[in-house]
mmCIF file of all heavy atoms in Angstrom:
data_model
loop_
_atom_site.group_PDB
_atom_site.id
_atom_site.type_symbol
_atom_site.label_atom_id
_atom_site.label_comp_id
_atom_site.label_asym_id
_atom_site.label_seq_id
_atom_site.Cartn_x
_atom_site.Cartn_y
_atom_site.Cartn_z
ATOM 1 N N GLU A 1064 17.953 275.798 -270.499
ATOM 2 C CA GLU A 1064 16.651 275.744 -271.177
ATOM 3 C C GLU A 1064 16.799 276.114 -272.651
ATOM 4 O O GLU A 1064 16.159 275.523 -273.526
ATOM 5 C CB GLU A 1064 15.652 276.694 -270.513
ATOM 6 C CG GLU A 1064 14.257 276.612 -271.133
ATOM 7 C CD GLU A 1064 13.286 277.611 -270.545
ATOM 8 O OE1 GLU A 1064 13.589 278.827 -270.573
ATOM 9 O OE2 GLU A 1064 12.209 277.189 -270.100
ATOM 10 N N CYS A 1065 17.664 277.062 -272.938
ATOM 11 C CA CYS A 1065 17.894 277.498 -274.317
ATOM 12 C C CYS A 1065 18.437 276.348 -275.164
ATOM 13 O O CYS A 1065 17.948 276.079 -276.272
ATOM 14 C CB CYS A 1065 18.872 278.668 -274.318
ATOM 15 S SG CYS A 1065 19.214 279.343 -275.948
ATOM 16 N N LEU A 1066 19.430 275.640 -274.630
ATOM 17 C CA LEU A 1066 20.047 274.548 -275.380
ATOM 18 C C LEU A 1066 19.086 273.377 -275.555
ATOM 19 O O LEU A 1066 19.056 272.733 -276.608
ATOM 20 C CB LEU A 1066 21.327 274.103 -274.671
ATOM 21 C CG LEU A 1066 22.435 275.176 -274.623
ATOM 22 C CD1 LEU A 1066 23.506 274.803 -273.623
ATOM 23 C CD2 LEU A 1066 23.036 275.407 -275.998
ATOM 24 N N GLN A 1067 18.276 273.099 -274.550
ATOM 25 C CA GLN A 1067 17.286 272.030 -274.668
ATOM 26 C C GLN A 1067 16.226 272.385 -275.706
ATOM 27 O O GLN A 1067 15.776 271.522 -276.473
ATOM 28 C CB GLN A 1067 16.614 271.765 -273.319
ATOM 29 C CG GLN A 1067 15.583 270.639 -273.349
ATOM 30 C CD GLN A 1067 16.150 269.327 -273.868
ATOM 31 O OE1 GLN A 1067 17.186 268.849 -273.380
ATOM 32 N NE2 GLN A 1067 15.497 268.726 -274.867
ATOM 33 N N THR A 1068 15.855 273.655 -275.772
ATOM 34 C CA THR A 1068 14.872 274.087 -276.777
ATOM 35 C C THR A 1068 15.435 273.942 -278.191
ATOM 36 O O THR A 1068 14.722 273.560 -279.119
ATOM 37 C CB THR A 1068 14.440 275.543 -276.510
ATOM 38 O OG1 THR A 1068 13.906 275.640 -275.181
ATOM 39 C CG2 THR A 1068 13.380 275.990 -277.512
ATOM 40 N N ILE A 1069 16.722 274.248 -278.349
ATOM 41 C CA ILE A 1069 17.350 274.038 -279.659
ATOM 42 C C ILE A 1069 17.261 272.562 -280.041
ATOM 43 O O ILE A 1069 16.937 272.212 -281.177
ATOM 44 C CB ILE A 1069 18.820 274.508 -279.645
ATOM 45 C CG1 ILE A 1069 18.898 276.026 -279.473
ATOM 46 C CG2 ILE A 1069 19.514 274.108 -280.960
ATOM 47 C CD1 ILE A 1069 20.301 276.556 -279.268
ATOM 48 N N ARG A 1070 17.546 271.682 -279.101
ATOM 49 C CA ARG A 1070 17.441 270.243 -279.365
ATOM 50 C C ARG A 1070 16.008 269.871 -279.778
ATOM 51 O O ARG A 1070 15.804 269.084 -280.699
ATOM 52 C CB ARG A 1070 17.853 269.441 -278.128
ATOM 53 C CG ARG A 1070 19.354 269.454 -277.861
ATOM 54 C CD ARG A 1070 19.733 268.611 -276.639
ATOM 55 N NE ARG A 1070 19.281 267.226 -276.779
ATOM 56 C CZ ARG A 1070 19.933 266.281 -277.439
ATOM 57 N NH1 ARG A 1070 21.084 266.574 -278.051
ATOM 58 N NH2 ARG A 1070 19.461 265.046 -277.503
ATOM 59 N N ASP A 1071 15.032 270.454 -279.101
ATOM 60 C CA ASP A 1071 13.633 270.181 -279.448
ATOM 61 C C ASP A 1071 13.320 270.624 -280.876
ATOM 62 O O ASP A 1071 12.587 269.948 -281.608
ATOM 63 C CB ASP A 1071 12.690 270.894 -278.474
ATOM 64 C CG ASP A 1071 12.771 270.343 -277.054
ATOM 65 O OD1 ASP A 1071 13.262 269.208 -276.891
ATOM 66 O OD2 ASP A 1071 12.361 271.055 -276.114
ATOM 67 N N LEU A 1072 13.880 271.766 -281.271
ATOM 68 C CA LEU A 1072 13.640 272.278 -282.631
ATOM 69 C C LEU A 1072 14.303 271.385 -283.678
ATOM 70 O O LEU A 1072 13.689 271.050 -284.703
ATOM 71 C CB LEU A 1072 14.172 273.711 -282.752
ATOM 72 C CG LEU A 1072 13.464 274.780 -281.905
ATOM 73 C CD1 LEU A 1072 14.214 276.097 -281.985
ATOM 74 C CD2 LEU A 1072 12.014 274.957 -282.342
ATOM 75 N N VAL A 1073 15.539 270.993 -283.420
ATOM 76 C CA VAL A 1073 16.270 270.139 -284.366
ATOM 77 C C VAL A 1073 15.584 268.783 -284.498
ATOM 78 O O VAL A 1073 15.528 268.195 -285.591
ATOM 79 C CB VAL A 1073 17.743 269.970 -283.932
ATOM 80 C CG1 VAL A 1073 18.460 268.945 -284.816
ATOM 81 C CG2 VAL A 1073 18.476 271.313 -283.995
ATOM 82 N N ASP A 1074 15.041 268.304 -283.413
ATOM 83 C CA ASP A 1074 14.376 266.999 -283.399
ATOM 84 C C ASP A 1074 13.203 266.929 -284.383
ATOM 85 O O ASP A 1074 12.831 265.843 -284.833
ATOM 86 C CB ASP A 1074 13.879 266.709 -281.978
ATOM 87 C CG ASP A 1074 13.224 265.349 -281.853
ATOM 88 O OD1 ASP A 1074 13.873 264.346 -282.217
ATOM 89 O OD2 ASP A 1074 12.056 265.282 -281.420
ATOM 90 N N LYS A 1075 12.651 268.095 -284.742
ATOM 91 C CA LYS A 1075 11.468 268.116 -285.625
ATOM 92 C C LYS A 1075 11.823 268.334 -287.097
ATOM 93 O O LYS A 1075 10.927 268.372 -287.948
ATOM 94 C CB LYS A 1075 10.506 269.234 -285.177
ATOM 95 C CG LYS A 1075 10.160 269.244 -283.690
ATOM 96 C CD LYS A 1075 9.570 267.950 -283.195
ATOM 97 C CE LYS A 1075 9.121 268.027 -281.736
ATOM 98 N NZ LYS A 1075 10.233 268.226 -280.791
ATOM 99 N N PHE A 1076 13.108 268.497 -287.421
ATOM 100 C CA PHE A 1076 13.504 268.719 -288.824
ATOM 101 C C PHE A 1076 13.101 267.537 -289.698
ATOM 102 O O PHE A 1076 13.151 266.384 -289.275
ATOM 103 C CB PHE A 1076 15.025 268.877 -288.942
ATOM 104 C CG PHE A 1076 15.572 270.190 -288.443
ATOM 105 C CD1 PHE A 1076 16.949 270.387 -288.353
ATOM 106 C CD2 PHE A 1076 14.747 271.226 -288.066
ATOM 107 C CE1 PHE A 1076 17.480 271.582 -287.900
ATOM 108 C CE2 PHE A 1076 15.254 272.431 -287.609
ATOM 109 C CZ PHE A 1076 16.625 272.597 -287.523
ATOM 110 N N GLY A 1077 12.750 267.846 -290.956
ATOM 111 C CA GLY A 1077 12.526 266.797 -291.944
ATOM 112 C C GLY A 1077 13.827 266.428 -292.631
ATOM 113 O O GLY A 1077 14.895 266.998 -292.349
ATOM 114 N N ASP A 1078 13.767 265.463 -293.558
ATOM 115 C CA ASP A 1078 14.952 265.007 -294.285
ATOM 116 C C ASP A 1078 15.013 265.613 -295.679
ATOM 117 O O ASP A 1078 13.994 266.025 -296.243
ATOM 118 C CB ASP A 1078 14.969 263.478 -294.400
ATOM 119 C CG ASP A 1078 15.626 262.830 -293.203
ATOM 120 O OD1 ASP A 1078 16.494 263.483 -292.594
ATOM 121 O OD2 ASP A 1078 15.274 261.691 -292.864
ATOM 122 N N PHE A 1079 16.214 265.637 -296.246
ATOM 123 C CA PHE A 1079 16.437 266.083 -297.615
ATOM 124 C C PHE A 1079 16.969 264.908 -298.434
ATOM 125 O O PHE A 1079 17.477 263.930 -297.876
ATOM 126 C CB PHE A 1079 17.451 267.236 -297.647
ATOM 127 C CG PHE A 1079 16.959 268.499 -296.999
ATOM 128 C CD1 PHE A 1079 17.327 268.828 -295.702
ATOM 129 C CD2 PHE A 1079 16.116 269.362 -297.682
ATOM 130 C CE1 PHE A 1079 16.879 269.987 -295.100
ATOM 131 C CE2 PHE A 1079 15.657 270.527 -297.091
ATOM 132 C CZ PHE A 1079 16.038 270.853 -295.797
ATOM 133 N N PRO A 1080 16.900 264.985 -299.767
ATOM 134 C CA PRO A 1080 17.464 263.904 -300.599
ATOM 135 C C PRO A 1080 18.952 263.720 -300.314
ATOM 136 O O PRO A 1080 19.679 264.682 -300.061
ATOM 137 C CB PRO A 1080 17.239 264.409 -302.029
ATOM 138 C CG PRO A 1080 16.101 265.378 -301.923
ATOM 139 C CD PRO A 1080 16.257 266.031 -300.582
ATOM 140 N N LYS A 1081 19.409 262.486 -300.360
ATOM 141 C CA LYS A 1081 20.805 262.154 -300.071
ATOM 142 C C LYS A 1081 21.581 261.915 -301.369
ATOM 143 O O LYS A 1081 21.004 261.693 -302.431
ATOM 144 C CB LYS A 1081 20.880 260.888 -299.207
ATOM 145 C CG LYS A 1081 20.174 260.999 -297.861
ATOM 146 C CD LYS A 1081 20.959 261.856 -296.891
ATOM 147 C CE LYS A 1081 20.484 261.696 -295.444
ATOM 148 N NZ LYS A 1081 19.136 262.203 -295.188
ATOM 149 N N ALA A 1082 22.906 261.949 -301.251
ATOM 150 C CA ALA A 1082 23.767 261.677 -302.412
ATOM 151 C C ALA A 1082 23.760 260.199 -302.767
ATOM 152 O O ALA A 1082 23.987 259.834 -303.919
ATOM 153 C CB ALA A 1082 25.193 262.144 -302.126
ATOM 154 N N GLY A 1083 23.542 259.353 -301.788
ATOM 155 C CA GLY A 1083 23.444 257.917 -302.052
ATOM 156 C C GLY A 1083 24.772 257.188 -302.089
ATOM 157 O O GLY A 1083 24.925 256.215 -302.836
ATOM 158 N N PHE A 1084 25.748 257.603 -301.283
ATOM 159 C CA PHE A 1084 27.027 256.900 -301.248
ATOM 160 C C PHE A 1084 26.844 255.521 -300.609
ATOM 161 O O PHE A 1084 26.054 255.348 -299.685
ATOM 162 C CB PHE A 1084 28.068 257.710 -300.469
ATOM 163 C CG PHE A 1084 28.310 259.077 -301.044
ATOM 164 C CD1 PHE A 1084 28.247 260.211 -300.255
ATOM 165 C CD2 PHE A 1084 28.593 259.233 -302.392
ATOM 166 C CE1 PHE A 1084 28.455 261.473 -300.784
ATOM 167 C CE2 PHE A 1084 28.798 260.486 -302.943
ATOM 168 C CZ PHE A 1084 28.725 261.607 -302.140
ATOM 169 N N SER A 1085 27.605 254.567 -301.112
ATOM 170 C CA SER A 1085 27.471 253.186 -300.655
ATOM 171 C C SER A 1085 28.020 253.011 -299.242
ATOM 172 O O SER A 1085 29.126 253.445 -298.931
ATOM 173 C CB SER A 1085 28.228 252.255 -301.614
ATOM 174 O OG SER A 1085 28.307 250.952 -301.084
ATOM 175 N N ARG A 1086 27.204 252.358 -298.395
ATOM 176 C CA ARG A 1086 27.684 252.015 -297.054
ATOM 177 C C ARG A 1086 27.163 250.637 -296.645
ATOM 178 O O ARG A 1086 25.980 250.333 -296.824
ATOM 179 C CB ARG A 1086 27.244 253.041 -296.014
ATOM 180 C CG ARG A 1086 27.988 252.830 -294.672
ATOM 181 C CD ARG A 1086 27.597 253.804 -293.600
ATOM 182 N NE ARG A 1086 28.596 253.803 -292.521
ATOM 183 C CZ ARG A 1086 28.447 254.416 -291.357
ATOM 184 N NH1 ARG A 1086 27.341 255.108 -291.113
ATOM 185 N NH2 ARG A 1086 29.397 254.363 -290.433
ATOM 186 N N GLU A 1087 28.073 249.839 -296.128
ATOM 187 C CA GLU A 1087 27.713 248.540 -295.579
ATOM 188 C C GLU A 1087 28.056 248.517 -294.090
ATOM 189 O O GLU A 1087 28.575 249.494 -293.552
ATOM 190 C CB GLU A 1087 28.471 247.431 -296.319
ATOM 191 C CG GLU A 1087 28.050 247.300 -297.784
ATOM 192 C CD GLU A 1087 28.753 246.167 -298.503
ATOM 193 O OE1 GLU A 1087 29.669 245.543 -297.880
ATOM 194 O OE2 GLU A 1087 28.420 245.899 -299.660
ATOM 195 N N LYS A 1088 27.790 247.427 -293.440
ATOM 196 C CA LYS A 1088 28.093 247.309 -292.017
ATOM 197 C C LYS A 1088 29.599 247.460 -291.803
ATOM 198 O O LYS A 1088 30.396 246.769 -292.436
ATOM 199 C CB LYS A 1088 27.630 245.949 -291.487
ATOM 200 C CG LYS A 1088 27.817 245.805 -289.984
ATOM 201 C CD LYS A 1088 27.308 244.453 -289.496
ATOM 202 C CE LYS A 1088 27.549 244.304 -287.988
ATOM 203 N NZ LYS A 1088 27.077 242.997 -287.479
ATOM 204 N N PRO A 1089 30.010 248.392 -290.922
ATOM 205 C CA PRO A 1089 31.450 248.603 -290.697
ATOM 206 C C PRO A 1089 32.151 247.355 -290.156
ATOM 207 O O PRO A 1089 31.581 246.596 -289.372
ATOM 208 C CB PRO A 1089 31.476 249.726 -289.654
ATOM 209 C CG PRO A 1089 30.156 250.404 -289.776
ATOM 210 C CD PRO A 1089 29.186 249.335 -290.159
ATOM 211 N N VAL A 1090 33.391 247.186 -290.625
ATOM 212 C CA VAL A 1090 34.237 246.084 -290.156
ATOM 213 C C VAL A 1090 35.573 246.691 -289.729
ATOM 214 O O VAL A 1090 36.170 247.453 -290.490
ATOM 215 C CB VAL A 1090 34.474 245.044 -291.277
ATOM 216 C CG1 VAL A 1090 35.402 243.935 -290.788
ATOM 217 C CG2 VAL A 1090 33.155 244.471 -291.765
ATOM 218 N N PRO A 1091 36.057 246.387 -288.530
ATOM 219 C CA PRO A 1091 37.345 246.959 -288.125
ATOM 220 C C PRO A 1091 38.499 246.398 -288.954
ATOM 221 O O PRO A 1091 38.387 245.300 -289.517
ATOM 222 C CB PRO A 1091 37.475 246.538 -286.656
ATOM 223 C CG PRO A 1091 36.603 245.335 -286.518
ATOM 224 C CD PRO A 1091 35.474 245.525 -287.498
ATOM 225 N N PRO A 1092 39.609 247.119 -289.055
ATOM 226 C CA PRO A 1092 40.777 246.572 -289.759
ATOM 227 C C PRO A 1092 41.270 245.293 -289.076
ATOM 228 O O PRO A 1092 41.220 245.176 -287.851
ATOM 229 C CB PRO A 1092 41.820 247.691 -289.635
ATOM 230 C CG PRO A 1092 41.058 248.927 -289.301
ATOM 231 C CD PRO A 1092 39.872 248.476 -288.516
ATOM 232 N N VAL A 1093 41.750 244.350 -289.887
ATOM 233 C CA VAL A 1093 42.352 243.136 -289.332
ATOM 234 C C VAL A 1093 43.684 243.491 -288.668
ATOM 235 O O VAL A 1093 44.012 242.990 -287.590
ATOM 236 C CB VAL A 1093 42.558 242.081 -290.448
ATOM 237 C CG1 VAL A 1093 43.356 240.898 -289.918
ATOM 238 C CG2 VAL A 1093 41.218 241.623 -291.005
ATOM 239 N N LYS A 1094 44.441 244.373 -289.319
ATOM 240 C CA LYS A 1094 45.733 244.806 -288.787
ATOM 241 C C LYS A 1094 45.515 245.946 -287.782
ATOM 242 O O LYS A 1094 44.707 246.844 -288.027
ATOM 243 C CB LYS A 1094 46.664 245.248 -289.918
ATOM 244 C CG LYS A 1094 46.998 244.111 -290.877
ATOM 245 C CD LYS A 1094 47.984 244.541 -291.945
ATOM 246 C CE LYS A 1094 48.351 243.371 -292.853
ATOM 247 N NZ LYS A 1094 49.329 243.747 -293.903
#
Side-chain angles (χ1 to χ4, degrees):
E1064 183 184 56
C1065 182
L1066 295 166
Q1067 181 56 52
T1068 303
I1069 293 173
R1070 287 182 57 83
D1071 293 341
L1072 294 172
V1073 173
D1074 182 55
K1075 310 304 185 295
F1076 286 172
D1078 273 332
F1079 293 99
K1081 300 286 195 293
F1084 301 128
S1085 170
R1086 192 180 197 190
E1087 294 183 354
K1088 185 178 178 180
V1090 178
V1093 172
K1094 297 183 177 181

